[in-house]
Amino acid sequence: MDSAEDSPATAEAARHASAREARAAAVLEDYVELIEDLLATTGEARPTDIARRIGVSHATAIKAIARLKREGLAHSRPYRGVFLTEAGQALAAKLRARHRLVVDLLLALGVPPEVAEHDAEGIEHHVSEASLEAFRRFLGRPTPPGPAQP
Amino acid sequence: MDSAEDSPATAEAARHASAREARAAAVLEDYVELIEDLLATTGEARPTDIARRIGVSHATAIKAIARLKREGLAHSRPYRGVFLTEAGQALAAKLRARHRLVVDLLLALGVPPEVAEHDAEGIEHHVSEASLEAFRRFLGRPTPPGPAQP
DNA sequence: CTGATATTGTAGCGAAGGCTACATTTTGCG
DNA sequence: CGCAAAATGTAGCCTTCGCTACAATATCAG
Ligand SMILES: [Mn+2]
Ligand SMILES: [Mn+2]
Ligand SMILES: [Mn+2]
Ligand SMILES: [Mn+2]
């Protein structure tokens, strides 16, 4: 038998494929994260504010919002601001925790705060649950309860 | 005066813009890294092998190679395999070191080897020089000499 | 040497994610 | 109220990066 570790080239290809998926998801993740933040801190998430904070034109932001809606993560009605669906809120909570954990890890490793925040913005989208778990252990944090049964 | 720390939204937007650039560069970086590896280990880098290892169709690989050539990182002639220019080789050396450093850091943090290799494939493209420096310190490695004058 | 096979290259398509320019709607104020 | 400014939405356009299908070239066995 020879398929115990699956042809190396195949494993490598799978890693690249996985990274491509993460790259594709990164954009929407950032929008969800930001919308949650705007809603939490200001009570509303308007396309213009979203665009300004993400650094794209408002037209681009509106298209991204349309995609969020298509994927069931957000809803909005014309001129009324954007809101997160249940699914969107759940995702946002996960993303917020992940973002913080990545930043905290970088800080613990001695990365300057500005740089930590900068690099985390890209890194966060590529950190698997297994790595997050290792980060928590390293930071001496208890593993958080999974989706607790209410 | 109020521009000491530049409006927070602006800084945030800049981080996102930077992450977008890294995301765009990631594809070509992976090709350069792989081509160097193929050349080093087998002496030649053929489009088909590149495609298989990256996990895309050969047509996609050939287009990426065309872009590498456009950007002055590689050269090739029909049916003759791909080679890296001076610039391509320099970039490859940097990318190889970065990839290894990221993997080693994850391993040191207790991330399982398979996962480390998996996550590093995406993370590597978003780690700035300042963070790499922190990683080296954490791993107890001497800062490598910059572009040494020969 | 010749023909099958593998490799390489090309053409054309689609989705994402950018942009600018223009149209519409809302808002806020004199 | 009425109207200007701000916000929102829409309509193209471009590039990247995937894909499949097909064409052309090299390679290798027999
Ligand atoms: Mn991000
Ligand atoms: Mn984030
Ligand atoms: Mn990579
Ligand atoms: Mn790599």
Side-chain angles (χ1 to χ4, degrees), chain A residues 13-142:
Chain A
R15 284 198 301 270
H16 281 290
S18 195
R20 280 195 295 274
E21 277 180 41
R23 208 156 56 215
V27 173
L28 290 198
E29 287 181 355
D30 281 336
Y31 277 92
V32 168
E33 217 177 321
L34 174 58
I35 290 169
E36 191 253 15
D37 187 65
L38 283 169
L39 287 173
T41 65
T42 77
E44 63 175 1
R46 305 179 332 173
T48 300
D49 295 331
I50 295 171
R52 184 166 33 83
R53 299 239 337 231
I54 284 202
V56 296
S57 73
H58 81 274
T60 296
I62 285 175
K63 275 191 192 171
I65 291 164
R67 198 170 150 224
L68 285 181
K69 292 164 74 172
R70 242 193 298 141
E71 312 220 343
L73 294 170
H75 56 93
S76 76
R77 298 219 324 273
Y79 296 89
R80 224 33 20 130
V82 184
F83 299 91
L84 294 176
T85 61
E86 288 286 327
Q89 290 176 31
L91 178 57
K94 204 180 76 177
L95 299 180
R96 168 197 278 275
R98 191 185 64 180
H99 185 113
R100 277 214 270 250
L101 186 50
V102 170
V103 170
D104 288 349
L105 174 80
L106 291 176
L107 291 175
L109 293 173
V111 175
E114 307 254 317
V115 177
E117 204 62 58
H118 176 279
D119 290 9
E121 200 53 73
I123 291 174
E124 57 180 357
H125 309 283
H126 297 276
V127 181
S128 66
E129 189 46 53
S131 287
L132 290 174
E133 181 56 32
F135 294 177
R136 281 185 217 107
R137 269 200 312 273
F138 176 77
L139 293 172
R141 291 187 192 177

Side-chain angles (χ1 to χ4, degrees), chain B residues 26-47:
Chain B
V27 172
L28 290 199
E29 287 181 355
D30 281 335
Y31 277 92
V32 168
E33 218 177 320
L34 173 59
I35 290 169
E36 191 254 14
D37 186 65
L38 283 169
L39 288 173
T41 64
T42 76
E44 64 174 359
R46 307 180 331 175

